[in-house]
Amino acid sequence: MDPPKYPASSVTPTPGNLFRHGRSMSNETGGALFKPRDGLQAPFRDGKEGRSMSNANVTFGPRGSSLAQGPPPGSFSSDLKTMTLPRAGTPRTEQAPFFADYGRRDNEKTSEERQTELREQINKEAKIKVGSENLLEALVSKNNKQAKEQRLRVEAELGSSSRKIIELKGQLEEEIQRSKRPKTPPRNRLSGMFQSSPARSPQKTDESMQDDMLATEESESPTYVLSEILQALENEGMQPDYYVEKANRLVNLFKKYSSLKYDLAWPVFGLRIQTMLLSQSREVVAAGYRVTRHAIADRRSLQTIRRLNTDEVVILSLVKESKANIEREQALKFVRAFLDVKGGIHEVSTAVLRTIVSIAEHHEDRLRNLSILTLLEILIRSPAMAVNAGAMASLTEALLDGSYQGSESLASAMLYLFDRPSDRLYLKSGHEIDAAFVIFTDPFAVHSSEEKLKSSARLITALMNSWPGLFAVATDGFQAIRGLLQSLAYPSLIARDLTLDIISAVLQIKAPSWSSSFLAGRRLTTYGRVANLTKDNSATSTALISEEEEGQDRVYLTEHYTALLLVVLLQSGLQQALLGLIQEDVESAIGRKAALLHGEVLNLANRLLPYTFSSNLHVAPKLMGSSGTHKGDTSLSQITMIYQADSVSRTLQRSQAPVKQSFESTSQPKQQHTASTRTVDSSKPEVDSDMDEIKFRAAIVDTQILSHVKHAKWNWDLIEDLIKGPLKNPKRLSEAIAGTKFLKRLLGFYRPFKYRFSDTPNTKTNQRYVRVGVSLMKTLLNNSEGIAHLSESKFLRQLGECLAQLDRTSGLTSSTPLFSSWRTSETLTGGYFALLGALSSNPKGLEMIERWHMVNIFYHLIDLQGRDDLVELLLGNMDFTLDSHLRVMLSKALTACHKHIRIFATRLLRKYATLPPDAEDSAYSASSVCEWAIRLLVTQLYDPEVEVSEAAVQILEESCNQKSRLEYLVRCRPQLDHLNEIGAPLLLRFLSTSLGYQYLDRLDYITQEMDDWYLGRNYSYVTLVEASLTRALSTPPQDVSRSGVIEPVRPKEYGTLPPHFYRELTHTKEGCDLLRESGHFDRFVQTITESWADHEDFEGLMKLKGALWAVGNIGSMELGAPFLEESDVVEWIVKIAETSEVTTMRGTAFFVLGLISRSLHGMEIISEHGWSAATDQYGRSSGYCLPPTLGKLFSIKRQHDNKAGVRSTAKDMRPRPITDDDPVQARVLSFVVDAGNAVLAKKAANDLNGIKVRHPEAFSSVELYRKVRDVLGSHNFRLPVRRFILDLFDRSVMRNVVLEEEDSENESIRTQRPAQARPHFT
């Protein structure tokens, strides 16, 4: 994992620095310059140097001078220490443990970071493995010597990748288990303490004495230890590391005894803090900030701390140069600690905030990113405070230049302001968010660096994937989006490519598996077997679910939002821009990418948009007309483009998973599916299953089995075709058994003791041997002669003997068992369980398994310790559809094995609990198998491990999509009270049937749940929906390859509508009657009609959104639609969607109207108000509706009158001019004000420098300093200017201000005037 990146900064003083004076406050006197370093080191001490803390000279050794690398600058370490170096500059050996502990404490990775790193490594190795498998598959057909050598090298690389993946998966699983364990409490011993140093005080020279002291601290009262440490801080003249060590002990004491900071004696404690903050040692000052930060308890303590005049010291620390970064970082972290206290943000002074703004505006400052983050937090919590301090200008600039890495969070803060009209007024121009589009819409800026373009692309995607962002870019007729699409015409390849990526991201379009080859220039018919792309078996298995059972389909809010975005893009000129790009060069990579995106856009329009919006998309009259009337290269290019678009469209249609023909079927999002089974290529002639004897014998000869012993030379494609075709004919099978050695040699290949199949490497290409073996077992079991041949062969006998090697009770042992852990993972030995699974699906096959006593061995394998891989292979490949001993074995695994296997076995039941109704067989019925699985899952609900119960609940919830299985589950009468929220979705599903309603009614569940939802859950539902939608619309995370950890049964689908109590209640007539009696619907309608215009009260907005979601869920059901007809609530919802001043409220109303359109009555009602709903080819609603015109939905008032009021208020808040009766001080104040003007800054600096030379006593005045501080706190100054102005004052001024001492004339007069320096601003 790459080391963490820190903000860039200059490590050497730039020539643009301002004046340096001999006794300035922000610069050290008479010390060596700070050198670049990675870790904090102790001051270089001279032998003649006294013990004064104020005379510490600090130096930094060369990189690598310590035995362990310290933390980089900017890492807020938990221990601020210095370390004494000998004269040679090399650290002593005994000091190395501190640096090791220091670096480990700061750079230690969290469990989440380690898991992410392991997953990234697994992804990398998985890609290498896939590439090796693909290359190996391509080399299989080559027989020359060079190809053989290449295969050997590829197989070696493939084996190495497989071993690495197994090792990394094990490490990942261990890390996940480690993260779940309770963390070890922190050590009482102060592990970060420095080791002994010869220059320390006498009481610290002996390490054993220090250990004794720490042990004594643990046994003594914390109050006594606190007073002892404070008393030790009274010692003057000690070295800086002495005070840092005491500060670290204080911090550890506050961490261990958190209540101690509530009983601090602030007069004493505050004086010690003031002394440390006034030190000339940067490490001591940083330690003082750290102690003060840990002493913060509440807002009252913040007020006490501010009375210590800490604001003055914080401002001085923040304006210092980069060589004092450790002090500046701790000062900024001290300010950020104010934000963690309730009401603490109001204790941040404007002067401090303006100083942070100046840092955020200084591009070279390494604290710039942290300052921007601080301003973002303040902007969200108190917009007025941030705007009055001038933070909006720096934040907008950071958003525009794209240099800030967290641009998405920056945009989120501004979008938060754009949501409500009261906060929207702080965006003065209203176009601050449009700055993200400038780099794409400006023809000259579009050639900027690739990093800035990518940053802006991510920012634009985040903007368009949120309601406030979409409303923000909708101003002026979507001018920003039109400009973005126009960038496709600019001659910048990177900008074009990123624009297409933005469109794909916002429309949630995932590239098909064959896209990379297509973009590389290959034809669609020459690779990947596109004509017969693999399809998910689970998609086809649910094709015949009845319309009555489809009411439980999930509602995909992301699809509805995508439909709206698609209309916005199309009306902004998306199709014309794509066609223009394709027409420019249809064969280029960017032209092909545009053609692919155009095909996806057309598919989305067909599926998501109403007919009125999508009817004209497939017609390109200008293109067709030009191609039909003109001749030459232009016409040929246009015809080629039309052919390309048609080819892509047809390929996309073939690559899509089959969609079930049912009510609301088009509401299901497009999924990409993969299948492990081999698909037959239609371009290759299929083998006739009814071929005659001559052709059959010729085909057997062509398999090369009879002429070659090596299986690598056999034609395995033809072998598989023969097994699946002609050999299913009893006559042909008899000929193959009796007339040739075809089956004998083929079965011999799978015999374990021949070590041919079992020694074959486990690669993707070699998995075809397993597929052929499974097909062979099934074919032989379908014929009596094949059953006899299989029973008489040595295959099953040898396989049973190999399995018995793992059974301690069998008496058979082997030093190298066939099913060892290494062989099952690295070779095809694990494929034997797939062959046994094929046998277990047939009654005759089960008899063969029992004949060789394999079932007894299976029982013992379940109890085998340390071989979870073998148990998973066994359970995962067996077929449990038949009632046999295998079901008893599975029941044992579900209850008697450890947690990992119980979860694995529970998830295996999903296949049987969700078995399609049409999956009938002569040996079993689908209903009986499903009922058996449901009974086992009900038992798993009471498992002591919550993960097992949660997996069972998810599977049962999916099984309840069919009414018959839901009713059977209700008859099982499961008790889910102990699962609390985990079992709540399953109980809600019970409400969708009359039987479940009666069962829950007897338990008194319905009335209690209804009251709970009405009083509180209905409002928390709003937060759940918005969080899910935000997560779904955000940039999707990278796919993580499957690890050794068991994945969830059903991954959490973000962007789907969670189950709602009132929606489930309206499934039945009894539920509708109860809803009518309760009067809840009428109260929801009353809330909508009375509060629809409210846009200020947060609780009122949440209540209104909760009422909208409740009405929408009720109206989405056919039995709930009559409630809508009895009131005019739909009219109010349409009014909210078109006129509400809160953007997220409009979005909520938009989604609710889509919910209402899912029912037939609801679709008719919204059509009366001009909204149109998308329908399928049968006229049934898809659940997506759109307004008649986008202008009604996206019209937002700018509130110019209120803005004028804000400007007038801001004008009244402008500070009054600060003057002084003394002419010299008055001139100083005037020049300080001029220094804030970029034009007058240089002249003002020269004038101030002249006054400093002529009247040095003026800059020793506390009164003048306070007035200058007021000027700096009320105006915006650049960071170098602030540093220059504060450097003019003598260091004694700060001491007088902080300690509130009288301004001494003797201290003001300096016998030696500082030399004049040439001012230079940067």
Side-chain angles (χ1 to χ4, degrees):
M1 186 174 180
D2 296 333
K5 298 180 180 180
Y6 297 91
S9 64
S10 175
V11 294
T12 57
T14 61
N17 288 337
L18 299 175
F19 282 107
R20 299 186 182 277
H21 299 287
R23 304 212 32 159
S24 64
M25 290 191 294
S26 65
N27 295 296
E28 300 291 343
T29 59
L33 292 176
F34 274 65
K35 297 179 182 180
R37 83 277 194 194
D38 287 334
L40 179 64
Q41 296 181 0
F44 189 104
R45 217 172 28 251
D46 192 22
K48 299 179 181 180
E49 174 183 295
R51 285 188 173 276
S52 173
M53 185 169 62
S54 61
N55 293 329
N57 297 323
V58 183
T59 187
F60 293 88
R63 189 183 298 273
S65 61
S66 62
L67 297 180
Q69 186 176 359
S75 59
F76 295 113
S77 67
S78 58
D79 290 308
L80 292 169
K81 294 277 191 180
T82 57
M83 185 176 117
T84 304
L85 295 180
R87 295 180 183 275
T90 304
R92 294 179 179 270
T93 304
E94 63 270 12
Q95 293 168 340
F98 160 72
F99 278 88
D101 185 73
Y102 184 86
R104 180 173 63 254
R105 183 178 292 270
D106 283 339
N107 297 329
E108 184 178 3
K109 300 174 183 176
T110 63
S111 178
E112 291 77 8
E113 291 175 344
R114 289 191 293 268
Q115 292 178 30
T116 302
E117 181 179 357
L118 289 172
R119 287 192 175 98
E120 290 176 352
Q121 294 178 8
I122 292 174
N123 283 339
K124 180 180 178 181
E125 295 297 333
K127 291 178 181 178
I128 296 175
K129 182 178 179 181
V130 171
S132 302
E133 290 175 345
N134 293 336
L135 180 58
L136 188 61
E137 187 174 2
L139 294 175
V140 166
S141 59
K142 299 181 181 180
N143 297 322
N144 52 25
K145 183 177 180 181
Q146 182 180 3
K148 183 178 180 181
E149 295 176 353
Q150 291 177 352
R151 284 200 302 271
L152 293 176
R153 290 197 299 269
V154 172
E155 288 177 355
E157 182 65 29
L158 187 60
S160 175
S161 299
S162 301
R163 288 190 294 272
K164 288 181 180 179
I165 290 175
I166 294 173
E167 180 181 357
L168 291 171
K169 287 179 179 179
Q171 295 177 8
L172 177 60
E173 186 172 0
E174 292 177 0
E175 184 59 40
I176 292 177
Q177 296 298 329
R178 188 184 301 115
S179 65
K180 295 180 180 179
R181 300 171 189 161
K183 296 183 179 179
T184 306
R187 293 179 296 175
N188 294 329
R189 183 185 176 92
L190 302 179
S191 58
M193 284 295 178
F194 280 91
Q195 302 297 331
S196 58
S197 172
R200 290 193 180 176
S201 306
Q203 64 268 26
K204 294 292 182 181
T205 54
D206 192 355
E207 183 178 356
S208 60
M209 293 179 60
Q210 182 180 356
D211 293 339
D212 294 340
M213 180 193 67
L214 295 176
T216 305
E217 281 187 7
E218 296 177 2
S219 60
E220 291 179 345
S221 169
T223 307
Y224 177 79
V225 176
L226 174 63
S227 60
E228 187 181 43
I229 296 175
L230 294 179
Q231 185 176 2
L233 287 173
E234 293 181 1
N235 298 332
E236 298 182 359
M238 308 302 291
Q239 293 300 320
D241 58 349
Y242 171 83
Y243 299 99
V244 172
E245 182 180 5
K246 299 301 180 183
N248 288 334
R249 291 175 59 188
L250 271 178
V251 170
N252 282 277
L253 195 64
F254 288 144
K255 288 181 178 180
K256 185 176 180 180
Y257 305 100
S258 57
S259 61
L260 192 62
K261 53 189 175 184
Y262 292 94
D263 301 325
L264 288 175
W266 279 101
V268 178
F269 182 78
L271 182 60
R272 304 295 178 267
I273 294 299
Q274 288 176 322
T275 305
M276 295 183 69
L277 295 180
L278 291 172
S279 172
Q280 295 186 25
S281 172
R282 302 183 181 111
E283 291 77 17
V284 176
V285 177
Y289 284 126
R290 184 164 173 262
V291 172
T292 311
R293 173 164 52 86
H294 283 85
I296 297 175
D298 48 22
R299 187 173 180 180
R300 181 177 298 179
S301 63
L302 289 178
Q303 295 170 350
T304 305
I305 291 173
R306 290 194 63 193
R307 284 195 291 269
L308 299 176
N309 298 311
T310 53
D311 289 349
E312 318 296 338
V313 190
V314 168
I315 294 173
L316 181 62
S317 297
L318 290 177
V319 301
K320 288 186 177 180
E321 296 180 349
S322 59
K323 61 184 180 181
N325 269 331
I326 191 169
E327 177 183 341
R328 301 177 69 228
E329 290 165 356
Q330 287 297 324
L332 186 54
K333 195 170 185 180
F334 169 68
V335 176
R336 289 179 56 82
F338 282 46
L339 308 181
D340 298 332
V341 179
K342 184 178 180 180
I345 188 173
H346 302 292
E347 299 299 329
V348 181
S349 66
T350 305
V352 173
L353 192 53
R354 286 188 181 273
T355 306
I356 298 177
V357 170
S358 66
I359 298 176
E361 294 174 346
H362 196 60
H363 290 266
E364 291 78 16
D365 199 295
R366 63 182 305 273
L367 292 183
R368 178 174 182 255
N369 287 347
L370 189 58
S371 299
I372 292 176
L373 181 61
T374 305
L375 295 177
L376 285 179
E377 296 183 21
I378 297 175
L379 180 65
I380 293 176
R381 299 187 184 186
S382 179
M385 186 176 176
V387 171
N388 292 335
M392 288 302 300
S394 58
L395 295 179
T396 305
E397 182 184 1
L399 188 67
L400 180 62
D401 60 21
S403 59
Y404 180 60
Q405 298 297 326
S407 56
E408 292 88 347
S409 61
L410 185 58
S412 299
M414 293 190 175
L415 294 178
Y416 175 80
L417 296 182
F418 194 86
D419 186 22
R420 295 192 296 176
S422 57
D423 295 334
R424 198 178 304 143
L425 301 177
Y426 293 109
L427 301 174
K428 296 182 179 180
S429 66
H431 296 279
E432 286 83 357
I433 301 176
D434 295 347
F437 291 82
V438 171
I439 196 170
F440 281 94
T441 57
D442 188 354
F444 300 100
V446 78
H447 298 283
S448 301
S449 65
E450 184 176 355
E451 288 301 323
K452 285 190 176 182
L453 286 171
K454 289 182 178 180
S455 177
S456 297
R458 291 193 300 268
L459 181 57
I460 293 173
T461 304
L463 290 177
M464 297 184 65
N465 279 332
S466 66
W467 282 112
L470 187 57
F471 277 89
V473 301
T475 56
D476 301 329
F478 299 98
Q479 189 62 37
I481 298 180
R482 295 180 188 274
L484 175 66
L485 296 177
Q486 289 174 1
S487 65
L488 292 175
Y490 298 153
S492 174
L493 187 61
I494 297 177
R496 289 178 169 183
D497 188 64
L498 289 177
T499 302
L500 295 179
D501 289 341
I502 292 172
I503 298 171
S504 300
V506 299
L507 294 180
Q508 304 287 317
I509 294 175
K510 295 182 179 180
S513 57
W514 44 268
S515 62
S516 58
S517 300
F518 173 69
L519 297 179
R522 300 177 64 181
R523 296 178 59 189
L524 290 175
T525 57
T526 58
Y527 61 90
R529 305 191 187 276
V530 178
N532 286 274
L533 295 173
T534 57
K535 297 178 176 61
D536 188 16
N537 293 332
S538 63
T540 58
S541 64
T542 56
L544 299 178
I545 298 179
S546 63
E547 181 176 321
E548 179 187 6
E549 296 165 338
E550 286 297 320
Q552 304 292 347
D553 283 349
R554 294 184 182 88
V555 180
Y556 291 88
L557 301 179
T558 50
E559 295 281 292
H560 197 185
Y561 188 81
T562 300
L564 180 62
L565 277 177
L566 182 59
V567 173
V568 170
L569 290 171
L570 288 173
Q571 294 192 5
S572 300
L574 173 62
Q575 189 177 26
Q576 292 78 3
L578 291 178
L579 290 176
L581 196 57
I582 299 171
Q583 196 171 8
E584 181 179 329
D585 188 359
V586 69
E587 293 298 334
S588 64
I590 197 69
R592 284 175 167 257
K593 189 172 185 177
L596 180 60
L597 181 58
H598 183 259
E600 293 280 9
V601 167
L602 295 181
N603 286 338
L604 277 179
N606 285 337
R607 189 164 56 91
L608 303 179
L609 299 186
Y611 178 77
T612 55
F613 288 89
S614 62
S615 57
N616 298 324
L617 294 180
H618 289 271
V619 181
K622 296 182 179 179
L623 181 62
M624 295 297 294
S626 61
S627 63
T629 57
H630 298 281
K631 296 181 180 180
D633 296 339
T634 303
S635 179
L636 180 62
S637 173
Q638 293 165 346
I639 294 174
T640 304
M641 187 192 74
I642 296 174
Y643 169 77
Q644 189 78 278
D646 179 66
S647 178
V648 168
S649 179
R650 286 186 284 107
T651 306
L652 287 173
Q653 291 293 336
R654 287 195 298 267
S655 65
Q656 287 181 353
V659 181
K660 53 188 177 181
Q661 301 296 330
S662 60
F663 184 70
E664 301 173 350
S665 62
T666 55
S667 64
Q668 302 296 331
K670 179 180 63 179
Q671 302 288 344
Q672 294 182 352
H673 302 289
T674 58
S676 59
T677 57
R678 175 180 174 268
T679 56
V680 182
D681 185 9
S682 62
S683 62
K684 179 174 64 68
E686 296 183 358
V687 178
D688 185 10
S689 58
D690 296 328
M691 64 174 55
D692 55 20
E693 182 179 353
I694 297 177
K695 292 183 179 179
F696 178 68
R697 288 183 177 273
I700 288 181
V701 173
D702 291 341
T703 61
Q704 305 296 323
I705 290 181
L706 304 180
S707 56
H708 293 284
V709 178
K710 295 183 178 181
H711 65 276
K713 296 184 178 181
W714 295 355
N715 189 344
W716 285 95
D717 290 339
L718 181 57
I719 293 172
E720 186 174 5
D721 292 337
L722 288 175
I723 292 174
K724 291 182 177 181
L727 287 181
K728 289 185 177 181
N729 189 332
K731 185 177 181 180
R732 298 290 167 253
L733 181 62
S734 177
E735 293 176 2
I737 294 175
T740 66
K741 294 184 179 180
F742 174 78
L743 282 180
K744 181 179 180 181
R745 290 191 176 183
L746 185 58
L747 270 177
F749 168 72
Y750 290 99
R751 282 167 53 182
F753 289 158
K754 285 198 172 182
Y755 296 102
R756 300 170 69 185
F757 173 79
S758 58
D759 278 356
T760 305
N762 183 14
T763 63
K764 181 181 178 181
T765 305
N766 292 340
Q767 287 297 319
R768 60 181 178 177
Y769 303 140
V770 180
R771 293 195 299 266
V772 172
V774 171
S775 300
L776 178 62
M777 295 296 113
K778 292 181 178 180
T779 300
L780 294 177
L781 290 174
N782 288 332
N783 187 277
S784 58
E785 193 168 351
I787 294 174
H789 180 75
L790 185 60
S791 301
E792 295 172 0
S793 67
K794 298 179 181 180
F795 167 70
L796 290 177
R797 184 179 63 187
Q798 293 183 3
L799 185 57
E801 184 177 346
C802 293
L803 288 171
Q805 294 173 358
L806 301 175
D807 186 2
R808 298 179 181 177
T809 62
S810 64
L812 298 177
T813 59
S814 174
S815 58
T816 57
L818 183 71
F819 291 97
S820 63
S821 179
W822 181 86
R823 293 183 66 91
T824 54
S825 62
E826 298 297 325
T827 67
L828 293 182
T829 302
Y832 282 117
F833 288 99
L835 274 60
L836 290 174
L839 293 176
S840 65
S841 62
N842 189 285
K844 296 296 183 180
L846 282 174
E847 292 179 3
M848 296 181 191
I849 292 177
E850 294 176 356
R851 174 187 175 188
W852 297 107
H853 308 287
M854 293 186 190
V855 175
N856 295 336
I857 298 175
F858 291 164
Y859 279 117
H860 296 151
L861 289 182
I862 294 296
D863 298 329
L864 202 60
Q865 299 294 329
R867 290 305 307 273
D868 289 351
D869 59 329
L870 206 61
V871 177
E872 290 183 3
L873 281 173
L874 173 61
L875 296 177
N877 286 282
M878 291 298 107
D879 193 323
F880 301 99
T881 53
L882 299 179
D883 190 3
S884 63
H885 284 285
L886 295 180
R887 287 189 176 183
V888 181
M889 178 190 70
L890 179 60
S891 301
K892 179 180 179 181
L894 288 169
T895 56
C897 292
H898 57 81
K899 172 184 172 182
H900 180 80
I901 297 299
R902 295 205 308 274
I903 296 176
F904 182 86
T906 302
R907 291 173 176 172
L908 285 178
L909 293 174
R910 178 180 181 269
K911 171 185 176 182
Y912 307 99
T914 59
L915 200 65
D918 60 326
E920 298 289 342
D921 192 89
S922 58
Y924 65 90
S925 64
S927 60
S928 62
V929 174
C930 291
E931 291 174 0
W932 162 77
I934 290 174
R935 290 195 299 271
L936 290 181
L937 288 170
V938 171
T939 304
Q940 295 305 97
L941 294 175
Y942 312 111
D943 193 278
E945 295 292 340
V946 178
E947 290 86 348
V948 179
S949 302
E950 185 176 6
V953 168
Q954 292 179 357
I955 298 172
L956 287 173
E957 186 182 357
E958 186 176 356
S959 177
C960 289
N961 286 335
Q962 296 191 32
K963 183 177 179 180
S964 58
R965 298 173 187 177
L966 174 58
E967 292 180 347
Y968 181 78
L969 176 60
V970 174
R971 287 195 292 269
C972 292
R973 308 176 71 85
Q975 299 295 327
L976 301 174
D977 296 342
H978 63 290
L979 296 179
N980 298 326
E981 293 297 328
I982 296 177
L986 188 57
L987 288 175
L988 288 180
R989 299 299 295 271
F990 287 3
L991 290 174
S992 59
T993 63
S994 298
L995 183 63
Y997 180 90
Q998 295 170 6
Y999 170 66
L1000 295 177
D1001 189 36
R1002 287 193 296 269
L1003 297 177
D1004 198 22
Y1005 168 82
I1006 299 178
T1007 55
Q1008 294 181 7
E1009 191 73 5
M1010 176 178 281
D1011 294 338
D1012 189 17
W1013 273 82
Y1014 180 76
L1015 296 176
R1017 294 275 294 278
N1018 200 34
Y1019 311 128
S1020 60
Y1021 182 84
V1022 177
T1023 305
L1024 180 63
V1025 172
E1026 293 182 351
S1028 175
L1029 185 63
T1030 302
R1031 177 71 179 271
L1033 293 178
S1034 61
T1035 304
Q1038 295 182 353
D1039 295 333
V1040 180
S1041 63
R1042 185 186 178 97
S1043 62
V1045 184
I1046 298 179
E1047 298 178 357
V1049 176
R1050 186 182 70 238
K1052 188 173 182 59
E1053 297 183 61
Y1054 296 102
T1056 60
L1057 193 67
H1060 197 286
F1061 173 80
Y1062 290 101
R1063 183 169 189 260
E1064 303 298 333
L1065 190 64
T1066 51
H1067 272 84
T1068 61
K1069 185 177 180 300
E1070 297 89 342
C1072 292
D1073 294 339
L1074 178 62
L1075 178 61
R1076 195 179 303 276
E1077 293 174 2
S1078 66
H1080 287 183
F1081 183 83
D1082 296 333
R1083 297 174 191 174
F1084 291 142
V1085 173
Q1086 183 180 1
T1087 301
I1088 294 174
T1089 56
E1090 293 179 355
S1091 306
W1092 72 273
D1094 187 10
H1095 50 75
E1096 296 299 335
D1097 183 20
F1098 178 78
E1099 294 183 1
L1101 291 176
M1102 293 295 291
K1103 188 176 181 180
L1104 178 58
K1105 289 180 180 179
L1108 286 173
W1109 282 116
V1111 171
N1113 278 281
I1114 294 172
S1116 65
M1117 306 306 300
E1118 292 295 339
L1119 293 178
F1123 287 92
L1124 303 177
E1125 297 178 348
E1126 297 171 2
S1127 63
D1128 57 348
V1129 65
V1130 176
E1131 180 181 354
W1132 287 98
I1133 297 176
V1134 172
K1135 190 174 183 179
I1136 293 174
E1138 295 179 352
T1139 62
S1140 177
E1141 293 300 319
V1142 181
T1143 60
T1144 53
M1145 186 63 69
R1146 288 199 186 191
T1148 302
F1150 174 78
F1151 287 132
V1152 168
L1153 289 174
L1155 273 177
I1156 293 175
S1157 69
R1158 295 175 71 87
S1159 64
L1160 180 61
H1161 293 293
M1163 185 169 60
E1164 295 175 354
I1165 294 174
I1166 67 168
S1167 63
E1168 295 175 358
H1169 294 85
W1171 286 57
S1172 55
T1175 57
D1176 59 8
Q1177 61 269 31
Y1178 302 105
R1180 296 173 296 198
S1181 174
S1182 303
Y1184 313 130
C1185 66
L1186 293 171
T1189 59
L1190 294 180
K1192 288 187 176 182
L1193 184 64
F1194 290 103
S1195 59
I1196 289 288
K1197 295 181 181 180
R1198 288 296 171 181
Q1199 302 283 347
H1200 293 289
D1201 297 337
N1202 291 343
K1203 267 193 178 179
V1206 171
R1207 293 192 186 101
S1208 62
T1209 303
K1211 187 179 296 184
D1212 295 338
M1213 295 177 60
R1214 290 179 181 176
R1216 297 179 180 178
I1218 301 175
T1219 59
D1220 196 280
D1221 296 335
D1222 188 287
V1224 176
Q1225 296 187 5
R1227 292 179 60 199
V1228 170
L1229 293 174
S1230 176
F1231 292 145
V1232 167
V1233 174
D1234 291 343
N1237 189 325
V1239 178
L1240 304 176
K1242 189 172 183 180
K1243 181 179 181 301
N1246 290 327
D1247 293 337
L1248 288 173
N1249 192 34
I1251 297 177
K1252 173 71 175 179
V1253 173
R1254 293 190 298 272
H1255 305 282
E1257 68 280 357
F1259 293 97
S1260 298
S1261 171
V1262 174
E1263 181 183 359
L1264 178 61
Y1265 171 81
R1266 287 173 176 163
K1267 291 183 178 182
V1268 170
R1269 176 202 59 187
D1270 294 338
V1271 173
L1272 295 177
S1274 57
H1275 297 80
N1276 286 334
F1277 290 85
R1278 290 185 299 146
L1279 183 62
V1281 177
R1282 288 180 180 271
R1283 183 185 304 125
F1284 165 69
I1285 293 174
L1286 292 178
D1287 283 349
L1288 293 172
F1289 289 88
D1290 192 79
R1291 184 180 303 276
S1292 61
V1293 176
M1294 180 58 64
R1295 180 177 183 85
N1296 295 334
V1297 171
V1298 174
L1299 299 180
E1300 297 180 352
E1301 296 178 351
E1302 294 295 331
D1303 190 4
S1304 174
E1305 185 69 21
N1306 293 332
E1307 291 182 359
S1308 303
I1309 300 175
R1310 296 288 176 262
T1311 57
Q1312 183 179 359
R1313 295 180 179 179
Q1316 183 175 1
R1318 180 182 179 184
H1320 186 84
F1321 292 100
T1322 58

